[in-house]
Each structure stands twice: as structure tokens, then as C-alpha cells.
């Protein structure tokens, strides 16, 4: 059942993104940013954790899950360090994912030799 929940949750999030691309004038970058902000806002309102508990990886892997991780990190750091946690908590909580994205991006750039499109 966990696999089905993850598939449904992730599928709905992806379908919403595709509908936004097809039916609005929003650029993909704005939609992606909106997903991260939505994850932060839903987490701040206490609505994202129940979704993550139900949807598993279908809720935690997409960009809304990244926003949720940022918000959880800030909340935890503010509780431990006070206002300094506002600036450090999000990066501390997501450092592994950010580092992996940078490392794999560099590896792919070395392998595939990116260049300008012509």
C-alpha cells in the first residue's frame, strides 16, 4: 500500500505541475520555485507532515518535499539556536541534497561536455 500511496501522491504533484505548464504562462522555473514555497507554507501550517506520512517518497522527493525539509530545518534550528537558526537551519537540513546535486552536476558536466545550444 505504501508504494501505491507514493505513486498517487507523486503523480498528483507532477500532474499539477504539468497542468500549470500547459494552461498558464508560468515558466517552468517559476513553477518549480512555487513548489518549494508551497512546501514551506504547507509545512508551516502543519499540513505537509500528514501528507508526507501518507505519501512517503511521493511527497518527500519532489520539490515540495525540499521546501518541507527547509521549513523543518529552520524550525529545529530556531528552537536550538534562536534567531540565528533562521539563517542556518534550512541549509543544515538540506546540505546533503544540495551537495549531491552539485557533485553529480559536476560529474555529468565532465562526462558530457556541455556547451551552448546552436
Amino acid at each position: 500500500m505504501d508504494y501505491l500511496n507514493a505513486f498517487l501522491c507523486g503523480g498528483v504533484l507532477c500532474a499539477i505541475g504539468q497542468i500549470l505548464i500547459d494552461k498558464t504562462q508560468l515558466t517552468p522555473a517559476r513553477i518549480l520555485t512555487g513548489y518549494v514555497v508551497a512546501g514551506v507554507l504547507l509545512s508551516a501550517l502543519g499540513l505537509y507532515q500528514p501528507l508526507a506520512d501518507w505519501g512517503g517518497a511521493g511527497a518527500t522527493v519532489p520539490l515540495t518535499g525540499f521546501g518541507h525539509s527547509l521549513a523543518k530545518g529552520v524550525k529545529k534550528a530556531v528552537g536550538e539556536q534562536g534567531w540565528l537558526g533562521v539563517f542556518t537551519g534550512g541549509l543544515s537540513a538540506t546540505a546533503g541534497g544540495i551537495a549531491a546535486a552539485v557533485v553529480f552536476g559536476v560529474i555529468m558536466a565532465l562526462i558530457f561536455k556541455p556547451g551552448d545550444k546552436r
Side-chain angles (χ1 to χ4, degrees):
M1 195 66 183
D2 291 338
Y3 293 120
L4 179 63
N5 291 348
F7 175 77
L8 291 173
C9 184
V12 167
L13 289 172
C14 290
I16 291 169
Q18 189 63 50
I19 290 168
L20 289 172
I21 288 172
D22 291 343
K23 302 292 183 186
T24 69
Q25 296 295 317
L26 293 172
T27 63
R30 288 184 181 190
I31 294 169
L32 297 176
T33 304
Y35 266 117
V36 174
V37 172
V40 170
L41 292 175
L42 289 172
S43 182
L45 295 173
L47 301 174
Y48 202 82
Q49 189 59 50
L51 178 66
D53 292 340
W54 177 79
T60 57
V61 171
L63 287 171
T64 50
F66 182 73
H68 175 61
S69 295
L70 286 171
K72 281 189 353 184
V74 168
K75 182 178 178 181
K76 179 180 175 189
V78 166
E80 294 172 356
Q81 302 170 356
W83 281 102
L84 183 61
V86 171
F87 303 107
T88 63
L91 290 175
S92 298
T94 59
I98 294 170
V102 170
V103 168
F104 291 126
V106 169
I107 291 170
M108 292 300 115
L110 292 172
I111 293 171
F112 293 106
K113 307 287 188 228
D116 292 336
K117 292 182 180 180
R118 295 176 199 221

